[in-house]
Amino acid sequence: MFEAARIMAMYNGFIDFQEIDGREAGIVIVKQGLKLKANLHQKSLNSRFDILINTQLLQVGKTSLDFNMEFIDGTTKEVFGENIIKVVRMNRKTRRPMAFPDWFYEKYKSYTESTVPNVLTKQPLPEIPKNAFQFVVVPRHSDTDRNNHVNQSSYIKFCMDVATHASLSGYYAYYTQDMCLYAPLHWTISYVGECVANDNLHVYTWQDDDSAPSHIQFSILLKDRVIFHASTIFDSEPKKRRLPAKY
């Protein structure tokens, strides 16, 4: 939902996307935070309500920018979720950060002095414990995008699949069912590398400690190098399985 709304906003003029993304440069996500309400998990294809996505630019740097998205019930105005994102303009050949053009930086100069949200600041990644659960995942071509690498959302899918393997195998404390039944409440994600189709990814997951079993960590390694990390919080109670929606 957030990704679809983000693309629609960008192709309709938000951050002058089509002027800063092209053959030479692409816009890639390097950090994001997701907050979701547990009752959003109760929505189904039978839930008919107007959706409003509020997108707001927060901060502009030489090669990066931060923005926030709110997922809102268009009628009740209840906020179901928030997605705060840091993107970098990437040179498609060197795969390194590329400065925005002068006109862009001048146009958005009022955002250059803004404070970077804490969730988007660079933090040291935790060490993977020796007893972490491990599973190997191989991305397919359908997991990649126009930037010629695995799409940011695919990493979340990999984590959820491995989390369910860990849960059903009895590795996690308290979580024993398909992890899709436990509402994800919070994700803090760092993208620190890239991978492509057919790479062998080693996905590790573990819980912080017995006092906080809902805090689940994920690290994804490519050739012994961390390329992704996520710190998550899941609801403690599984939701009931729903029958297929009626049309």
Side-chain angles (χ1 to χ4, degrees):
M1 183 65 68
F2 283 116
E3 186 167 21
R6 181 169 65 249
I7 293 300
M8 289 179 64
M10 287 178 169
Y11 276 98
N12 281 279
F14 180 64
I15 64 168
D16 290 288
F17 173 74
Q18 296 188 74
E19 301 298 323
I20 59 173
D21 180 281
R23 290 184 178 276
E24 293 185 357
I27 301 298
V28 297
I29 296 175
V30 295
K31 186 96 176 182
Q32 68 171 317
L34 280 163
K35 291 183 180 180
L36 303 171
K37 283 192 174 180
N39 61 346
L40 177 61
H41 205 68
Q42 300 296 336
K43 298 291 184 181
S44 70
L45 293 178
N46 284 334
S47 302
R48 307 293 182 181
F49 66 101
D50 293 328
I51 296 174
L52 174 64
I53 304 291
N54 182 31
T55 305
Q56 180 183 10
L57 182 62
L58 300 176
Q59 198 263 357
V60 173
K62 289 292 185 181
T63 63
S64 67
L65 55 85
D66 306 335
F67 57 92
N68 186 57
M69 304 179 72
E70 289 183 322
F71 178 12
I72 304 169
D73 185 314
T75 302
T76 67
K77 306 306 178 184
E78 179 181 2
V79 178
F80 286 119
E82 179 184 30
N83 186 197
I84 188 167
I85 297 171
K86 177 182 286 291
V87 299
V88 166
R89 189 174 188 237
M90 177 191 72
N91 184 297
R92 294 191 185 279
K93 289 184 178 180
T94 66
R95 316 302 284 182
R96 302 297 299 169
M98 183 176 180
F100 293 116
D102 292 340
W103 66 262
F104 180 90
Y105 200 69
E106 183 64 28
K107 180 176 181 178
Y108 294 100
K109 191 174 183 179
S110 61
Y111 292 94
T112 59
E113 302 299 326
S114 303
T115 302
V116 177
N118 187 58
V119 70
L120 298 181
T121 58
K122 190 174 183 178
Q123 301 289 339
L125 301 180
E127 292 187 7
I128 302 172
K130 292 182 179 180
N131 66 338
F133 184 88
Q134 179 186 359
F135 199 85
V136 176
V137 172
V138 179
R140 302 306 180 192
H141 288 284
S142 58
D143 294 311
T144 62
D145 59 26
R146 63 194 293 269
N147 289 316
N148 297 319
H149 62 194
V150 170
N151 182 264
Q152 55 87 21
S153 62
S154 294
Y155 291 97
I156 298 176
K157 180 184 69 173
F158 300 155
C159 291
M160 290 300 298
D161 285 343
V162 173
T164 294
H165 280 295
S167 178
L168 296 179
S169 69
Y171 173 79
Y172 288 147
Y174 302 103
Y175 295 98
T176 60
Q177 301 185 47
D178 186 331
M179 288 301 290
C180 290
L181 297 175
Y182 300 92
L185 304 177
H186 191 277
W187 288 71
T188 300
I189 301 172
S190 298
Y191 302 89
V192 292
E194 297 181 283
C195 70
V196 297
N198 298 321
D199 277 338
N200 285 315
L201 304 181
H202 292 259
V203 184
Y204 293 85
T205 183
W206 67 96
Q207 289 165 298
D208 279 353
D209 53 55
D210 292 338
S211 63
S214 61
H215 292 239
I216 297 177
Q217 306 277 352
F218 299 93
S219 282
I220 299 180
L221 276 64
L222 172 63
K223 298 178 180 179
D224 298 323
R225 184 172 64 88
V226 176
I227 62 170
F228 171 96
H229 178 265
S231 176
T232 69
I233 299 176
F234 285 83
D235 200 358
S236 58
E237 296 296 327
K239 304 300 184 289
K240 293 182 179 180
R241 293 181 182 271
R242 293 195 293 259
L243 295 174
K246 295 180 181 179
Y247 296 95

